[in-house]
Amino acid sequence: MTDVAGIVLYNILKNPETSLDVWPKLKPYFFNTEYSRIYVSILKYYNKYNKLPSFEDLKITLRDENLLQKIKALEYLKVPEDIDNEIATEALSDQYT
């Protein structure tokens, strides 16, 4: 099964400036325990700085070593470059509606 939640989070952190359209469509319950902490970290960063973070932004601002390891693992997720984040977000949403 494709890791749609991972793909969506990866695309947001890889391309934060182009992910503002999909960000409001995401809900916390779309993410399992593995990804929920990453989602919450993105949300906190967004609320504080009014912009979506990149992988580097989170690596600089986070202090939780366990969470940093999860972010680094997500950064190495193999995601085909031709996956549109809008479509991936819709697929993720469809799993929960």
Side-chain angles (χ1 to χ4, degrees), residues 39-96:
Y39 171 81
V40 169
S41 297
I42 294 170
L43 179 61
K44 285 179 180 179
Y45 187 97
Y46 180 80
N47 288 338
K48 184 173 183 176
Y49 299 105
N50 202 30
K51 69 175 195 165
L52 291 172
S54 66
F55 280 108
E56 289 304 313
D57 292 332
L58 286 184
K59 286 192 265 183
I60 290 169
T61 58
L62 294 176
R63 300 290 172 244
D64 182 326
E65 192 60 39
N66 188 26
L67 184 54
L68 284 168
Q69 292 303 318
K70 291 179 187 281
I71 300 233
K72 288 176 185 174
L74 180 63
E75 190 172 17
Y76 291 105
L77 184 68
K78 293 186 185 209
V79 176
E81 291 186 24
D82 62 342
I83 291 184
D84 182 278
N85 212 22
E86 185 76 35
I87 293 170
T89 301
E90 286 180 27
L92 180 61
S93 175
D94 288 347
Q95 292 178 1
Y96 293 92

Side-chain angles (χ1 to χ4, degrees), residues 14-27:
K14 186 74 174 171
N15 305 300
E17 59 284 338
T18 61
S19 298
L20 286 170
D21 291 342
V22 299
W23 179 248
K25 298 175 185 176
L26 299 176
K27 307 293 179 222

